[in-house]
Amino acid sequence: MLTVLAPLLLLLNGLAAGVMLGTQLGGFPYMASLPVDRYVYAHAFLGRRYDPAMPICLIGTVALDAVLAFDAPRAGAQALFALAGLLTATTPVIAVTKNAPVNRWMRTLDPDNLPADFRDPRPEWGAWNTRRSWITMAALAVNCAALGFLL
């Protein structure tokens, strides 16, 4: 079972970490450079493309980490898989509580007729996105370390 679950875990966690790294290297810096109306268009375009792939990758990573935290043959690997699962679990919590409400609100806006009281969400949204990005990438590093205990 370990020979099937561990590669699947790395695939899911690696895909999630790669997407999050992409948001840090280019996605969000580009979005932050746009005028507000163009940002609203871009946000709507990109926002629809991450569901359901990211939730599948993240929840799959958490589930596989939980299984491997109990089934790995060495205590060091078990502890690291558990830590990686906890780290990864924080990413969807941040997404649901901090980023998704902004995403839903942004989808209701007409970029050509922004409300007079429009408050640009990029600074706060970006800060939370950075946190979840680094957490997801850290979880991948911890999962890789856990595999080292299995050799």
Side-chain angles (χ1 to χ4, degrees):
M1 180 160 69
L2 185 63
T3 58
V4 173
L5 296 184
L8 182 58
L9 168 67
L10 288 184
L11 174 65
L12 294 175
N13 195 180
L15 288 170
V19 167
M20 299 308 287
L21 178 62
T23 69
Q24 295 307 297
L25 294 178
F28 190 73
Y30 171 71
M31 300 276 279
S33 73
L34 294 174
V36 172
D37 62 330
R38 300 281 54 131
Y39 165 69
V40 174
Y41 275 117
H43 194 281
F45 176 82
L46 292 172
R48 292 187 302 265
R49 284 160 172 73
Y50 290 108
D51 289 328
M54 285 300 286
I56 290 169
C57 288
L58 292 167
I59 301 306
T61 298
V62 171
L64 290 170
D65 271 324
V67 169
L68 291 170
F70 287 102
D71 287 347
R74 294 193 175 96
Q78 290 175 341
L80 289 172
F81 285 129
L83 174 59
L86 289 172
L87 286 169
T88 303
T90 64
T91 299
V93 169
I94 291 171
V96 168
T97 62
K98 300 297 183 181
N99 296 100
V102 172
N103 296 347
R104 283 191 298 274
W105 171 66
M106 293 290 289
R107 283 192 291 268
T108 69
L109 298 175
D110 176 359
D112 297 320
N113 295 302
L114 292 174
D117 63 345
F118 177 80
R119 186 179 66 84
D120 192 339
R122 287 180 279 192
E124 185 177 348
W125 191 97
W128 284 108
N129 189 63
T130 297
R131 289 178 186 109
R132 66 185 180 150
S133 295
W134 285 106
I135 291 167
T136 303
M137 291 183 280
L140 177 60
V142 173
N143 273 322
C144 289
L147 292 180
F149 278 87
L150 301 177
L151 300 175

